[in-house]
Amino acid sequence: MKVIELSEALKKRFYVLASIIGILLLLLVSRLVYLQLIKGDYYRDISIKQAIRLIPIDAPRGEIVDRYGVKLATNRPSFSVDILKGEVVDSHLNETILKLIHLLEKNNVKYKDDLPLYLNDKGEPYFNFKNPDEGDVSPETLKEREKAWKKANNINESATAKETWDILMKKFKISKDLSPQDARKIMVVRQLMEEQGYNQYQPVEIAVDVDQKTVAEIEERHLELPGVMINIKPIRYYPYGTLLSQTLGYIGRITPEDLKKLDIKKYKLTDLVGHSGIEALYEEYLHGKDGGQQVVVDNYGRLIKNLSTVPPVPGDTVFLTIDKNIQEAAEEALINTMQKLREGKLGKPRPNAKIGAAVVVDIHSGKILALASVPGFDPNIFATGSPPKDVVNELFRERDATVDPSPIFNYATQGAVPPGSTFKMIVALAALETGVTTVDEKYLDPGVYITGQTNWLWNEYGRTQGWVNVSDAIKYSTDTYFYEMGRRMGIDKIVEYAKKFGLDQKTGIELPEAKGIIASPQYKREFYLALIRSMVKSERNPDGPITEEQYNKIVEIVDKGDLSDYNTFLKLEKMGIKDPKLQRKLWEMMYYATHWSLADTCNAAIGQGDNQFTPLEIASYISTLVNGGIRYRLHLVDKIVDAEGNIVKKTEPEILGKIDIPKKYLDAIKLGMKGVTERGGTASAAFDGFPMTVGGKTGTAEVGIKGRDNYAWFVGFAPYDNPQIVVVTVIYQGGSGSYAAYVARDIFDAYFGLSKSGERETFNLVNTPLR
């Protein structure tokens, strides 16, 4: 065998190559030693962190309970349908989605639909950025939402609905052979997946609160529905339906506006949040901390292994001051009494008595024991975030809530209406304290006062009430007595004392509330100037008959007070306002803005005129009066307790103001209020045979609009000798305050543990006051 010898040059090349390979191998081994031995732990941690993911487990929402722990808003388990994309082959994803949606639709199961691209009757796409569980949303807000959504989806801001449709069809590879309706169903789910980030290990929730029949069908068809999963999820539940609904509020889908207020790190885009009432106001406490399942995923995001589970932490429990039994009694009493009024069982039929409110307050702490507003709504319809469209449209449609009952409007906290004779105790106290009368002075009711205004007894029976002192005037609700006291004091004193009782201030309750109006020359001026202001031409009011400059000149004339008709018309003419009808209209409003008459003072003294207060404000005023002058902040939330039983927040009684009421004056006023519920008093029929002495006052407030019945008010306290609670009730178009007293009687009955027997108002005393 012949041996071939390498040349020296070739040998040299071979050695150089061998040396290079040796050096590379040495470097490679050195790097491996460095990575595996020296930095091994460091890179192992990084690798684990990159491979481990957390699948969220929804935390139960915190409960809302009454003062004794009775659950008013809680949670119940339900089935949800999810899709896990990692288990579906991409080419079959759209097919699987469509099969699932068709199954859900067949069983009338609502699925999540947040896609703001809809189809009209002709199958043409259009935008709608209003959530299904929302009321009115301003055009500006909707435009902002459209802009943000297009930006998030890389769609040109100017793109039309049709152009956007074509973009999504291409993006999600949806077959053009499908009908537009089926194509949109796929878009809805694919968009949900995209918003969640397309994490293949994380399920995308498609539907919640799914019935067992549908769950069984999905399980049976699991082979043709790869990646479709059934999970158990807590759903908000309101055990008593409409009870306390406006106060509890409701939950709904997160809106872009919510995201600006919430800590987004604590929320998923699929979460439901409080949209009104306690649910919204205490969202930060009620929202729990989601748990999660730690899983290992591969580099494609597919699930490999379960590691551990971090349990969710439920939200805090909100304890209200409300007593569920008293709340039930208040709402039932309103409903039953209004039905009797409509049917004419309490006198003349009142067909429009469909709106009512009641407030029950602990006079020594400001705790609200009941806050009733009828009619109410069932917040369960919002619990899944997909309420029926027709129900939402009816709840949130525009209406005049004073005549057309609004279930979502809280008449107890926001319904400001004339208080009628319930205001008279303020006038009585002011008259006594200013010395214009005494507890013993007798006033002869003339039936018709010097202003031409009359007493109600004269109107109805052509009689007078003869000689009355302050207690008698309250018992019999003698209007002319209070006209006279108003004349003697003047409007400023009435306003002063109304302010002392906080009637131009908010009560402090946690809910949104309207602020009352005290009749006064200042308010009258502001009211009529506001009417004139509404006539100014602007972008929103292009047909306004006057300019901003003309309005300012009108205000100058009003401030000077020289409003003789001839001079005023000349001045309006010089401003360029030449239309005689417009001149006349403006002159009348300018005149009323500056003119305050004795008749205005008399009206204010009996709770009419511009006086308007909510039942909540009246409850605060009566509580302050009856407890001797301490005005407490009214509150609904007693305490907040976390999942471990620790008190997170506690509400202590808070004094907003004090009034020094001499005992002899208070006794005289209370004596009159006691007389109201006794024989001869305006509420005697409602309390006939009642086993407990109650103080009260009826109020029949005129609406001033033809065809409408009066507001019916009653305020009361009990027990008379040692008051514990105040009850305030109002029925819109109830006709007479004596009818509202029946509602209060049933509330006192529930609070003190009294039981009714028989058709007539006969009661048996069961026990002493419970609370």
Side-chain angles (χ1 to χ4, degrees):
M1 186 174 180
K2 187 176 180 181
V3 179
I4 301 174
E5 292 186 3
L6 297 173
S7 65
E8 288 298 321
L10 198 56
K11 284 181 180 181
K12 189 178 288 185
R13 289 179 182 176
F14 176 77
Y15 290 140
V16 170
L17 181 61
S19 299
I20 291 171
I21 292 172
I23 292 170
L24 289 174
L25 286 172
L26 182 63
L27 289 172
L28 182 60
V29 170
S30 300
R31 183 63 179 168
L32 286 172
V33 169
Y34 174 78
L35 293 174
Q36 293 287 334
L37 299 180
I38 299 174
K39 301 289 286 185
D41 291 341
Y42 171 75
Y43 287 107
R44 191 177 300 109
D45 287 342
I46 291 179
S47 175
I48 289 173
K49 287 177 182 177
Q50 288 178 338
I52 294 176
R53 297 290 185 271
L54 186 70
I55 300 177
I57 299 175
D58 290 341
R61 192 167 176 82
E63 295 180 322
I64 304 174
V65 301
D66 86 343
R67 64 189 311 181
Y68 301 116
V70 177
K71 295 176 181 179
L72 303 173
T74 183
N75 306 289
R76 60 176 174 81
S78 72
F79 294 111
S80 69
V81 176
D82 303 348
I83 289 184
L84 192 64
K85 184 180 180 294
E87 296 184 9
V88 190
V89 178
D90 283 349
S91 59
H92 294 160
L93 180 57
N94 288 350
E95 180 185 352
T96 300
I97 289 171
L98 198 54
K99 284 181 180 178
L100 174 62
I101 296 301
H102 283 163
L103 189 156
L104 294 176
E105 288 182 331
K106 177 177 73 73
N107 292 336
N108 294 317
V109 174
K110 289 196 171 187
Y111 54 89
K112 290 195 171 181
D113 185 350
D114 292 332
L115 186 69
L117 200 57
Y118 292 82
L119 295 170
N120 62 22
D121 294 339
K122 298 179 181 179
E124 300 166 339
Y126 67 93
F127 287 124
N128 181 6
F129 286 86
K130 181 179 172 183
N131 284 349
D133 55 0
E134 286 185 310
D136 294 331
V137 182
S138 69
E140 294 80 12
T141 298
L142 294 176
K143 196 65 184 174
E144 283 299 314
R145 289 183 184 180
E146 179 178 349
K147 183 178 177 181
W149 184 84
K150 286 179 176 178
K151 182 178 180 181
N153 289 277
N154 296 315
I155 295 171
N156 191 286
E157 188 177 329
S158 62
T160 64
K162 180 62 171 68
E163 291 168 343
T164 303
W165 177 274
D166 293 338
I167 291 170
L168 295 183
M169 287 286 289
K170 183 178 180 181
K171 179 180 181 180
F172 297 135
K173 299 178 182 177
I174 299 172
S175 171
K176 293 183 179 180
D177 295 333
L178 293 174
S179 68
Q181 290 74 20
D182 279 349
R184 186 181 181 279
K185 291 166 188 174
I186 294 171
M187 281 186 198
V188 165
V189 177
R190 294 293 296 266
Q191 186 65 25
L192 278 174
M193 291 178 153
E194 180 156 287
E195 286 176 355
Q196 195 160 297
Y198 266 106
N199 293 323
Q200 299 190 49
Y201 63 87
Q202 188 166 313
V204 177
E205 189 176 83
I206 305 300
V208 295
D209 204 18
V210 179
D211 61 277
Q212 291 187 341
K213 177 178 177 291
T214 304
V215 169
E217 281 192 51
I218 291 173
E219 296 289 2
E220 289 170 5
R221 297 174 59 180
H222 71 277
L223 292 178
E224 57 180 297
L225 295 172
V228 178
M229 305 166 55
I230 302 295
N231 285 323
I232 295 179
K233 175 189 176 87
I235 293 290
R236 201 59 162 168
Y237 177 54
Y238 304 87
Y240 301 100
T242 61
L243 187 76
L244 198 67
S245 54
Q246 298 94 342
T247 295
L248 295 176
Y250 65 92
I251 61 173
R253 301 181 189 181
I254 289 182
T255 66
E257 293 73 42
D258 291 326
L259 295 177
K260 297 174 183 177
K261 298 179 288 185
L262 301 172
D263 183 352
I264 194 58
K265 296 177 183 177
K266 298 178 181 179
Y267 289 85
K268 306 185 298 297
L269 290 177
T270 55
D271 283 340
L272 301 180
V273 299
H275 275 187
S276 73
I278 297 294
E279 292 279 26
L281 293 168
Y282 288 84
E283 172 65 31
E284 63 176 304
Y285 296 99
L286 293 167
H287 182 74
K289 183 179 180 182
D290 288 348
Q293 190 177 28
Q294 283 190 322
V295 298
V296 178
V297 298
D298 63 14
N299 60 325
Y300 294 104
R302 292 174 297 202
L303 181 66
I304 298 174
K305 179 183 177 183
N306 291 332
L307 292 180
S308 63
T309 299
V310 178
V313 179
D316 299 335
T317 299
V318 177
F319 279 79
L320 302 182
T321 58
I322 295 291
D323 183 322
K324 175 254 179 185
N325 291 337
I326 301 174
Q327 180 71 29
E328 273 185 334
E331 293 192 18
E332 288 175 6
L334 282 167
I335 292 169
N336 293 337
T337 302
M338 289 192 293
Q339 183 175 346
K340 289 179 181 178
L341 285 170
R342 292 194 298 272
E343 294 173 354
K345 292 181 178 179
L346 294 176
K348 175 186 173 183
R350 309 287 178 174
N352 297 313
K354 300 175 182 178
I355 298 169
V359 182
V360 184
V361 176
D362 178 344
I363 69 170
H364 299 299
S365 65
K367 291 181 179 180
I368 297 172
L369 308 182
L371 191 67
S373 178
V374 175
F377 68 96
D378 186 354
N380 285 303
I381 65 174
F382 295 95
T384 64
S386 300
K389 188 175 181 180
D390 58 335
V391 175
V392 172
N393 288 342
E394 171 59 23
L395 285 175
F396 291 101
R397 67 177 172 81
E398 288 188 21
R399 68 188 92 194
D400 179 355
T402 61
V403 290
D404 188 357
S406 173
I408 60 170
F409 186 80
N410 195 329
Y411 289 93
T413 62
Q414 295 176 303
V417 298
S421 295
T422 63
F423 187 74
K424 288 176 178 175
M425 284 77 76
I426 284 179
V427 178
L429 179 63
L432 291 168
E433 289 210 328
T434 54
V436 301
T437 190
T438 66
V439 295
D440 299 317
E441 183 196 0
K442 296 276 189 174
Y443 171 77
L444 180 61
D445 169 27
V448 181
Y449 195 60
I450 56 174
T451 57
Q453 293 158 293
T454 56
N455 185 27
W456 68 270
L457 189 64
W458 179 268
N459 290 336
E460 294 189 21
Y461 304 105
R463 291 168 26 210
T464 73
Q465 283 170 327
W467 294 95
V468 292
N469 62 16
V470 65
S471 300
D472 298 328
I474 291 171
K475 175 179 179 177
Y476 300 118
S477 202
T478 311
D479 290 338
T480 51
Y481 176 91
F482 293 96
Y483 296 154
E484 176 64 13
M485 295 305 114
R487 184 195 66 78
R488 293 180 187 181
M489 286 186 293
I491 187 60
D492 291 344
K493 277 298 173 184
I494 297 176
V495 172
E496 177 188 335
Y497 274 77
K499 287 177 177 288
K500 284 185 178 183
F501 283 94
L503 287 179
D504 64 337
Q505 303 168 36
K506 293 187 177 181
T507 66
I509 194 175
E510 295 86 344
L511 298 175
E513 60 175 321
K515 191 169 76 168
I517 297 168
I518 301 172
S520 67
Q522 179 184 359
Y523 173 76
K524 191 175 182 182
R525 176 186 182 277
E526 292 171 354
F527 175 80
Y528 282 102
L529 285 181
L531 286 181
I532 299 172
R533 178 82 194 182
S534 68
M535 300 169 69
V536 174
K537 186 188 294 290
S538 65
E539 288 185 12
R540 290 190 175 183
N541 184 25
D543 298 324
I546 63 174
T547 66
E548 182 77 27
E549 183 181 356
Q550 288 169 339
Y551 169 76
N552 291 332
K553 289 180 179 178
I554 288 171
V555 174
E556 288 179 13
I557 296 171
V558 168
D559 287 341
K560 289 178 181 177
D562 180 15
L563 289 171
S564 63
D565 51 1
Y566 179 74
N567 288 332
T568 302
F569 289 147
L570 282 178
K571 290 174 182 177
L572 292 174
E573 180 102 22
K574 288 180 180 178
M575 289 181 206
I577 301 172
K578 301 184 182 298
D579 182 354
K581 289 183 179 179
L582 179 57
Q583 288 179 355
R584 181 74 187 181
K585 185 176 181 180
L586 287 170
W587 177 81
E588 286 178 354
M589 289 189 284
M590 293 164 70
Y591 174 80
Y592 288 131
T594 59
H595 184 71
W596 184 267
S597 67
L598 176 58
D600 288 327
T601 299
C602 292
N603 263 339
I606 62 166
Q608 293 284 172
D610 293 325
N611 283 315
Q612 290 188 35
F613 310 110
T614 66
L616 197 68
E617 290 175 306
I618 296 296
S620 175
Y621 133 54
I622 298 297
S623 295
T624 303
L625 175 71
V626 172
N627 72 22
I630 301 174
R631 183 162 64 90
Y632 288 99
R633 179 184 297 278
L634 299 190
H635 61 280
L636 267 172
V637 176
D638 183 40
K639 60 184 175 182
I640 300 175
V641 178
D642 66 18
E644 297 178 354
N646 302 311
I647 295 179
V648 177
K649 188 175 182 180
K650 175 73 175 172
T651 305
E652 299 294 342
E654 181 183 348
I655 296 174
L656 298 179
K658 289 185 178 180
I659 307 170
D660 183 17
I661 304 177
K663 186 176 182 302
K664 65 177 181 178
Y665 297 160
L666 181 57
D667 287 346
I669 291 170
K670 285 175 60 181
L671 181 64
M673 295 179 76
K674 179 164 75 81
V676 168
T677 65
E678 296 177 334
R679 179 169 295 183
T682 54
S684 57
F687 288 93
D688 181 28
F690 199 73
M692 179 179 289
T693 305
V694 173
K697 183 72 192 79
T698 55
T700 305
E702 295 178 2
V703 181
I705 299 175
K706 189 177 180 180
R708 291 197 199 176
D709 281 322
N710 299 326
Y711 293 101
W713 284 88
F714 179 81
V715 301
F717 64 93
Y720 176 76
D721 293 324
N722 182 25
Q724 294 183 31
I725 63 167
V726 154
V727 173
V728 172
T729 65
V730 63
I731 298 174
Y732 287 47
Q733 301 203 60
S736 170
S738 58
Y739 302 140
Y742 287 95
V743 178
R745 180 206 58 190
D746 286 353
I747 295 171
F748 285 127
D749 175 27
Y751 180 87
F752 291 108
L754 306 172
S755 63
K756 291 182 287 184
S757 62
E759 288 297 319
R760 287 179 57 78
E761 283 65 49
T762 303
F763 292 78
N764 297 319
L765 187 59
V766 176
N767 53 29
T768 54
L770 298 177
R771 302 168 180 83

